[in-house]
């Protein structure tokens, strides 16, 4: 039996771990034949002959002794994209950890893979070391997926957990996360929910037959979450988490076609949520990730490390092991990148109307007679009905006081319209926040 | 492309769900060709031509139009064993939910599968609808597994959770579980830990390269757990769960061979444990199952429904989907049943010395001067050192009072020897319990 010949592009923390484990025999019947890195002279703690190294990653797409290209360069475009395109065109299989690449160019690359009878695997692109892609696409292969709930960004989850336990504000906690290396100097990609949206778009593609596209995900980051929201959350026996959710929108009963999984009526949202303690997701702390799949037959939850060199390497190596097994079994027909042929994937529709839910609304209410009456009547006018209300005394002698409502189930549009109307009256100060309750 | 031809033996709750889903197109490119059941005239809510039914399950092993035999008869021996043997001999692939069969005859059947180039899959045999076999054998394919912790028996977990929330005794709660259908009339198989031991032996086989054998699992059931243990547990911020644990025993440093995963030095234990609230497993309630894999690269936890028709069917169908994919890809070399060739599996050694841990010991101490001194000196003589002790007043005017110790880390043998010595002195009454703390 021939060994699977592996070329690795990008030998940083993850790549180094992959190389060391492969050299240690972590996956049988594999050989590293090529390595590409900008600095090929750096001491990475392992030795490979100089002839196997190149500074030009694109070389790997042309080498005859590469069966599988492992792309660990990163970035949605540039070298990573050029390399994966060229490698697929040359009938090389791909293993990548690059969520940005797939959330932007996934459809094109899946088409290219199909055309060339290549496998493109990306377990490491979502939830790091947790085998969620495999669990969803193979472990739940026969299930009809109703809903995905995920904590997919460790940076946000760390910040929110810290704010919860320390009672600290957002900016202060972000600085701590940056000092600890959990957040980048420019944290936008993480804290604005973009990273989670990219990952969610890949899960949605598999679960619902959507063309993956991060732009189809309604995304709101965590920067509006304030220390006081955690105080209120505690009173409701809940915590605050950035939740990535995708679900099949059930149309009116006359249209039963909408539950086929390929109707395009899928809603994808990333936003901070009030998570009741009865949900397993409320217990996910720090940089841990978790994904819950709700289906017609089972409801399963996977949790583990969402990032880090070893966790990501674990997923990359599992993909390599799968490829090795496929090579042995003959490789006549390769599995589809997103669980079905690209021609079967449907374009998802950017939805502004998302799934109805209960909502948490925090207002800053002027401490004057009739304020509360004005607010509640505006909410009522917009069909937002109140289940619970909590009002605190004014803080630090301010003339406003925070008030929180938990609404009955309603559409997000009702909440947003009500907030617009509320902001137009004179009893509400700035610093409003709202979150769905799950 | 030919369709995968499926014969199903045993059409009860699980089998019926599998048939209905397959007829509904849950797994592409499959056809049900044969069904075997004792009562073939029963209305099961679906229609199949009479010619496809047989009352003699063994017929399915001989039919040319069966590529995959789905064995849902159950039982370690008898028809299930005869059928799987005959089907493998006739080069048919197997999907089974039968943990008892594999925990007893797994090695023989894996050999037969290898010899005939057949695939034998059993996702449904462990943790029902949670894809733990796939996660372990494929998702963590390149990982070195250090330890498995599992809640693998829903009946026990239901009983323990009920005792915890209701403050009720064991016998009383067992009756409730029986009334609700969560426990059998003869509950031995579940409550004595045998079911969990069978499942653990299969996970251990994959994780550590052991020959699966339920007799290698040190097994103690939940019938000694009393209501008072939950009261004490609460004081220690812990709960009580039946935990199935397997771990690689690290030998002295001179013997580094023991971490190769095939050394035979693996300890497998099923017993009630005091689980601190810091562990995710403490939050697993009711009939839910959960499995934690601790490895060199990641620590992941999967949870979901461990039993039930739909959950089990979900796993059976995932196995069928995998087989369908393998058929398409050429099927030259089939994957091994327990992750490596049977010739590489090592016999595990029944260990009496298990992994050291902290221990919870509950004694019934005579309410007399010097009792405590006698007990603590006997514990000290056996090198059992105490971290915490809690003593309650005598209950219902009895002349004994419960006392609980949490020990420092020590071997189980030390605890057992100390208990023997303690039971020989006159200050201890019957009704002693001990559990590791995790």
């Amino acid at each position: 039996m021939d060994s699977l010949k592996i070329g690795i592009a990008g030998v940083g923390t993850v790549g180094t771990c992959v190389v060391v484990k492969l050299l240690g025999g972590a996956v049988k019947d594999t050989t590293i034949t090529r390595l590409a890195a900008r600095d090929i002279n750096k001491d990475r703690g392992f030795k490979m002959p100089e002839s196997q190294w190149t500074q030009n990653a694109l070389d790997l797409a042309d080498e005859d002794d590469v069966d599988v290209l492992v792309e660990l360069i990163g970035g949605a475009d540039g070298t990573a994209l050029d390399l994966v395109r060229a490698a697929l065109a040359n009938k090389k299989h791909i293993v990548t950890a690059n969520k940005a690449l797939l959330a932007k160019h996934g459809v094109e690359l899946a088409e290219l893979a199909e055309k060339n009878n290549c496998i493109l695997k990306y377990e490491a692109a979502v939830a790091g070391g947790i085998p969620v892609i495999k669990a969803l696409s193979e472990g739940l292969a026969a299930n009809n997926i109703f809903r995905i709930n995920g904590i997919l960004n460790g940076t946000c989850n760390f910040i929110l957990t810290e704010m919860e336990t320390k009672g600290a504000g957002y900016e202060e906690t972000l600085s701590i996360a940056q000092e600890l290396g959990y957040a980048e100097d420019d944290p936008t990609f993480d804290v604005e929910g973009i990273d989670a949206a990219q990952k969610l778009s890949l899960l949605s593609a598999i679960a619902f037959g959507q063309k993956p596209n991060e732009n189809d995900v309604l995304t709101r980051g965590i920067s509006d979450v304030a220390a006081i929201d955690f105080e209120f959350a505690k009173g409701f026996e809940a915590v605050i988490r950035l939740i990535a959710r995708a679900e099949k929108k059930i149309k009116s009963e006359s249209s039963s076609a909408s539950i086929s999984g390929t109707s395009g009526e899928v809603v994808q949202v990333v936003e901070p949520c009030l998570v009741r303690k009865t949900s397993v997701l409320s217990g996910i702390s720090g940089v841990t990730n978790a994904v819950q799949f709700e289906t017609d037959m089972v409801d399963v939850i996977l949790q583990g490390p969402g990032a880090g060199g070893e966790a990501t390497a674990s997923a990359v190596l599992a993909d390599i092991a799968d490829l090795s097994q496929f090579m042995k079994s003959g490789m006549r027909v390769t599995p589809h990148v997103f669980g079905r042929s690209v021609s079967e994937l449907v374009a998802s529709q950017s939805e502004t109307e998302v799934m109805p839910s209960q909502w948490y609304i925090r207002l800053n209410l002027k401490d004057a007679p009739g304020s509360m009456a004005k607010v509640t009547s505006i909410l009522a006018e917009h069909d937002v009905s109140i289940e619970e209300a909590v009002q605190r005394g004014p803080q630090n002698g301010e003339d406003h006081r925070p008030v929180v409502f938990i609404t009955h189930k309603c559409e997000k549009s009702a909440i947003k319209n009500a907030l617009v109307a509320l902001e137009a009256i004179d009893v509400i100060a700035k610093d409003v926040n709202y979150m769905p309750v799950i």
Side-chain angles (χ1 to χ4, degrees), chain A:
Chain A
M1 171 84 49
D2 280 350
S3 198
L4 188 72
K5 296 186 282 294
I6 298 169
I8 300 177
V11 193
T13 313
V14 176
T16 301
C17 186
V18 169
V19 171
V20 169
K21 292 287 178 181
L22 285 175
L23 293 176
V27 183
K28 277 188 190 172
D29 305 323
T30 57
T31 312
I32 300 171
T33 51
R34 300 281 164 183
L35 292 165
R38 251 176 297 186
D39 179 357
I40 63 177
N41 296 314
K42 191 170 139 188
D43 180 9
R44 291 173 168 88
F46 64 86
K47 281 272 171 240
M48 293 285 284
E50 208 174 307
S51 61
Q52 295 186 301
W53 286 87
T54 175
Q55 283 185 299
N56 183 5
L58 289 171
D59 290 349
L60 269 55
D62 294 321
E63 299 289 357
D64 287 339
D65 61 1
V66 172
D67 299 323
V68 181
L69 174 80
V70 179
E71 185 275 304
L72 299 172
I73 295 168
D77 300 286
T79 307
L81 177 61
D82 295 342
L83 174 60
V84 172
R85 276 182 181 148
L88 286 171
N90 287 340
K91 299 193 184 302
K92 301 191 185 307
H93 305 291
I94 307 288
V95 171
T96 179
N98 193 334
K99 57 203 167 273
L101 175 74
L102 294 174
K104 188 167 178 188
H105 303 288
V107 173
E108 177 206 326
L109 297 175
E111 265 171 356
L112 206 50
E114 267 181 41
K115 196 178 125 195
N116 291 287
N117 205 23
C118 290
I119 296 178
L120 191 166
K121 294 188 70 79
Y122 50 96
E123 183 64 79
V126 183
I130 321 172
V132 291
I133 301 286
K134 182 172 278 291
L136 175 59
S137 58
E138 301 175 22
L140 304 175
N143 286 246
N144 191 357
I145 314 291
F146 296 153
R147 188 183 293 115
I148 301 169
N149 293 311
I151 290 176
L152 296 176
N153 183 274
T155 305
C156 288
N157 211 56
F158 173 82
I159 291 173
L160 294 172
T161 311
E162 279 289 297
M163 288 175 72
E164 176 187 322
T165 52
K166 307 272 167 69
Y170 170 73
E171 293 295 342
E172 182 188 338
T173 311
L174 172 59
S175 299
I176 295 169
Q178 284 169 325
E179 276 164 35
L180 292 170
Y182 290 143
E184 307 281 343
D185 289 341
D186 176 358
T188 312
F189 184 67
D190 290 311
V191 301
E192 293 307 327
I194 305 163
D195 171 79
Q198 291 178 344
K199 294 166 177 169
L200 183 67
S201 74
L202 302 181
L203 293 177
S204 284
I206 303 167
F208 305 117
Q210 302 278 301
K211 290 184 180 173
N213 183 348
E214 64 183 279
N215 296 324
D216 294 333
V217 184
L218 296 172
T219 305
R220 195 158 57 102
I222 62 169
S223 52
D224 286 340
V225 179
I228 195 169
D229 291 317
F230 287 93
E231 286 176 39
F232 280 112
K234 204 172 171 185
F236 297 118
E237 303 216 331
V239 297
I240 298 166
R241 295 286 183 266
L242 183 74
I243 304 290
R245 295 177 295 158
E247 74 177 56
K248 227 174 270 188
K249 205 176 172 187
I250 307 297
K251 281 202 214 161
S252 62
E253 285 180 17
S254 57
S255 168
S256 61
S258 68
I259 58 164
S260 75
T262 55
S263 72
E265 293 294 313
V266 170
V267 184
Q268 304 172 60
V269 193
V270 170
E271 67 185 329
C273 295
L274 199 81
V275 184
R276 293 199 195 271
K277 292 236 167 113
T278 46
S279 162
V280 174
L281 295 181
S282 71
I284 307 298
S285 298
V287 294
T288 302
N289 281 18
V291 183
Q292 177 175 29
F293 298 113
E294 297 178 33
T295 83
D296 56 341
M297 288 187 270
V298 294
D299 181 350
V300 298
I301 300 165
L302 292 82
Q303 64 183 83
E310 291 196 327
T312 310
S314 169
V316 168
L317 290 162
D319 279 349
I320 293 173
D322 262 8
L323 274 168
S324 168
Q325 183 63 47
F326 271 110
M327 293 287 272
K328 286 181 200 167
S329 70
M331 279 296 218
R332 224 168 47 205
V333 176
T334 53
H336 297 303
V337 176
F338 296 110
R340 65 201 87 192
S341 166
V342 175
S343 63
E344 291 177 67
L345 297 175
V346 297
S348 98
Q349 295 152 7
S350 253
E351 296 274 345
T352 50
E353 285 295 318
V354 302
M355 41 278 212
S357 71
Q358 290 191 282
W359 296 85
Y360 165 99
I361 304 174
R362 173 171 52 78
L363 305 172
N364 240 340
L365 194 62
K366 193 174 278 184
D367 194 21
S371 292
M372 189 59 132
K374 281 187 194 171
V375 167
T376 50
S377 68
I378 285 178
L379 289 174
E381 277 164 31
H382 289 83
D383 287 331
V384 174
S385 127
I386 298 164
E387 185 176 289
E388 285 184 78
V390 179
Q391 190 168 3
R392 294 270 165 88
Q395 303 194 316
N396 308 324
E398 286 187 357
D399 63 347
H400 286 78
R401 57 171 71 187
V403 54
V404 161
F405 300 100
I406 302 287
T407 74
H408 284 286
K409 223 170 196 181
C410 65
E411 301 250 341
K412 193 185 215 166
S413 57
I415 299 295
K416 291 185 95 167
N417 292 338
L419 287 177
V420 168
L422 283 169
E423 281 169 7
I425 63 170
D426 64 348
V427 301
I428 305 293
K430 62 168 177 43
D431 188 24
V432 164
N433 193 13
Y434 68 100
M435 294 180 274
V437 179
I438 67 170

